Amino acid sequence: MKLIPSIPGYRTLDRYILRKFLLTYLFGLLMMTIILVVFDYVERVDDFTELHAPWRAIIFDYYLNFIPHFINQFSALFTFISVIFFTSKLAMQTEIVAILSGGVSFRRLMWPYMLGAGVIAALSLSLSLWVIPEGQKASVAFQAKYFKGNQLIEYDRNVYRQIEPGTFVYVRGYSPNLERVPFFAIERYEGARMVEVLNAASASFDEESGRWTAPRYVIYSSDEQGTLGYEQFRNLDTLINLDARELVDTKGLVKTLTLEELNDFLAQQRRKGSDDLFLIEVERHTRFSYPFSTFILTIIGVSIASRKTRGGMGMHLGVGITLCFGYIMLGRVFEQIALGGSLEPWIGVWLPNMIFSLIALVVYFKAPK
């Protein structure tokens, strides 16, 4: 039993356009994925050979996690190119004119395109929110083991975090491969005045329990008159409000968090007054805004390519790709502005979609009716 034809209002024309749309999209994406995998393998083969990476790990831990990331990153672009390509072909063969002359409105013609865009957007959203972050965890472990100096997640050499109001922790030289860190400190403030500092050398951190231990440590304290005193102690064993994830570079970390984990991490960092809130919020909004752009670019693509022009498909592709790369560039520019704190994260991420939604409306109403 065919499920799609049972959709109310679904016609043979819709089936024809939807099939052409999705097949063109899948074919283009498949060809580009194969090319990219081949080029990436040629670039990485020395690392794979020298570090004895097993084929099973290369295929399942690296490439099967690398491919969804690539598909999602270029999904909107390939959607746009696919729409331009086969719609231009319909227009050059005067099929669009015949469809519109047969009583089908341009608005009705857009319906199978939007249905196809919805399928692609749903796929992209699922990849962004859950599939890719889970896959990145295995990919990170693979890269750390078999790549030379090229890892998605890097650990900060100097970590300074607020763990609660008035209390800050400083960690120097942390690495998950080391049993100890050279220096660890906890600072406590009352207003702008530092009242106590705990310093420990050669400290160890247990990522599972979150406990810090050290053979010796010193506590410096200051009273209201500014008199400084200190005491030396042995066998530090303390539990502080510091997640192991906070010891890594946040930019790489957020790529490995699913939507639920990202929301929890954002709430945790917001309570601590973290400096990385903009980065986390930009990542969260980007995961929703990019799939949504599929609808916008589809409307622009159909509206441009449905008009028969002297330049033919080449003209349509040229204008379409220019607009698409303009969208990508605009998105990167506003994303960096949002990361810098000059714009609210949701504005910086969604503003390109707002601008191109206006462009989509203009070209839609100018398209043939």
Side-chain angles (χ1 to χ4, degrees):
M1 178 181 295
K2 295 183 179 180
L3 297 178
I4 293 180
S6 65
I7 298 176
Y10 192 84
R11 302 175 181 175
T12 303
L13 176 63
D14 301 321
R15 187 186 306 112
Y16 173 72
I17 292 176
L18 183 59
R19 184 175 68 249
K20 286 284 188 180
F21 182 4
L22 295 180
L23 287 178
T24 305
Y25 168 80
L26 291 174
F27 179 78
L29 204 58
L30 178 62
M31 291 298 99
M32 186 55 68
T33 300
I34 292 173
I35 292 171
L36 194 66
V37 167
V38 170
F39 274 94
D40 184 79
Y41 179 77
V42 171
E43 182 182 352
R44 307 290 185 191
V45 67
D46 289 339
D47 286 347
F48 294 157
T49 303
E50 184 176 344
L51 298 177
H52 306 290
W55 279 106
R56 182 180 180 83
I58 293 173
I59 295 173
F60 292 99
D61 294 340
Y62 181 58
Y63 281 113
L64 283 187
N65 293 314
F66 166 82
I67 291 173
H69 175 71
F70 168 78
I71 290 174
N72 189 62
Q73 190 172 16
F74 293 96
S75 177
L77 175 62
F78 277 101
T79 300
F80 196 59
I81 293 175
S82 300
V83 169
I84 291 283
F85 182 80
F86 86 86
T87 306
S88 293
K89 188 175 180 181
L90 293 179
M92 293 303 105
Q93 296 172 347
T94 66
E95 292 183 63
I96 297 291
V97 174
I99 292 170
L100 297 177
S101 300
V104 177
S105 66
F106 190 73
R107 179 181 178 182
R108 180 61 182 81
L109 177 65
M110 189 70 72
W111 192 84
Y113 285 97
M114 299 309 290
L115 183 60
V119 172
I120 295 172
L123 172 64
S124 179
L125 192 63
S126 299
L127 291 175
S128 296
L129 299 183
W130 298 289
V131 177
I132 292 175
E134 286 292 344
Q136 287 288 58
K137 295 172 184 177
S139 181
V140 165
F142 180 89
Q143 292 182 45
K145 189 174 183 179
Y146 298 111
F147 283 9
K148 295 179 179 178
N150 185 11
Q151 299 179 25
L152 176 65
I153 290 185
E154 296 180 356
Y155 286 81
D156 288 338
R157 297 296 299 171
N158 296 280
V159 178
Y160 191 72
R161 297 281 188 273
Q162 177 175 302
I163 56 177
E164 59 185 56
T167 304
F168 297 80
V169 63
Y170 172 69
V171 180
R172 184 173 68 216
Y174 177 77
S175 170
N177 299 322
L178 300 176
E179 295 183 355
R180 299 181 181 276
V181 296
F183 186 75
F184 168 75
I186 301 176
E187 302 172 354
R188 189 165 63 85
Y189 291 82
E190 290 183 358
R193 184 172 64 91
M194 183 184 294
V195 295
E196 185 179 274
V197 180
L198 181 153
N199 289 345
S202 191
S204 300
F205 177 59
D206 187 333
E207 290 192 1
E208 293 186 3
S209 66
R211 304 191 73 87
W212 288 89
T213 58
R216 295 181 179 83
Y217 63 102
V218 179
I219 295 180
Y220 297 89
S221 58
S222 174
D223 58 24
E224 295 182 356
Q225 287 72 39
T227 303
L228 183 67
Y230 73 94
E231 291 184 81
Q232 297 184 2
F233 299 90
R234 290 181 176 273
N235 301 324
L236 172 69
D237 186 355
T238 183
L239 176 66
I240 59 176
N241 185 20
L242 181 69
D243 195 303
R245 298 177 299 185
E246 298 176 68
L247 298 172
V248 307
D249 176 44
T250 306
K251 187 175 182 180
L253 170 65
V254 294
K255 303 293 183 183
T256 66
L257 302 179
T258 62
L259 177 62
E260 294 78 11
E261 293 170 339
L262 189 64
N263 287 335
D264 291 343
F265 187 60
L266 175 60
Q268 178 196 66
Q269 295 304 296
R270 186 176 283 128
R271 288 193 299 268
K272 295 181 179 181
S274 172
D275 295 331
D276 294 325
L277 291 179
F278 283 108
L279 192 153
I280 303 170
E281 290 189 5
V282 165
E283 172 67 21
R284 186 177 62 165
H285 284 290
T286 300
R287 295 190 185 185
F288 289 95
S289 69
Y290 192 70
F292 182 78
S293 68
T294 303
F295 295 101
I296 300 171
L297 295 176
T298 297
I299 294 173
I300 295 175
V302 177
S303 301
I304 291 175
S306 60
R307 186 187 298 272
K308 189 174 182 179
T309 59
R310 181 174 297 179
M313 187 183 299
M315 178 66 71
H316 291 158
L317 284 173
V319 174
I321 291 175
T322 300
L323 284 172
C324 193
F325 277 103
Y327 169 81
I328 294 172
M329 183 183 69
L330 199 64
R332 294 294 179 267
V333 169
F334 281 110
E335 181 179 314
Q336 292 303 315
I337 294 174
L339 288 173
S342 300
L343 278 176
E344 286 293 325
W346 74 269
I347 296 178
V349 173
W350 286 95
L351 192 56
N353 280 349
M354 298 176 191
I355 294 173
F356 272 76
S357 292
L358 295 177
I359 295 175
L361 287 175
V362 171
V363 296
Y364 173 77
F365 285 112
K366 286 188 175 182
K369 301 294 186 288

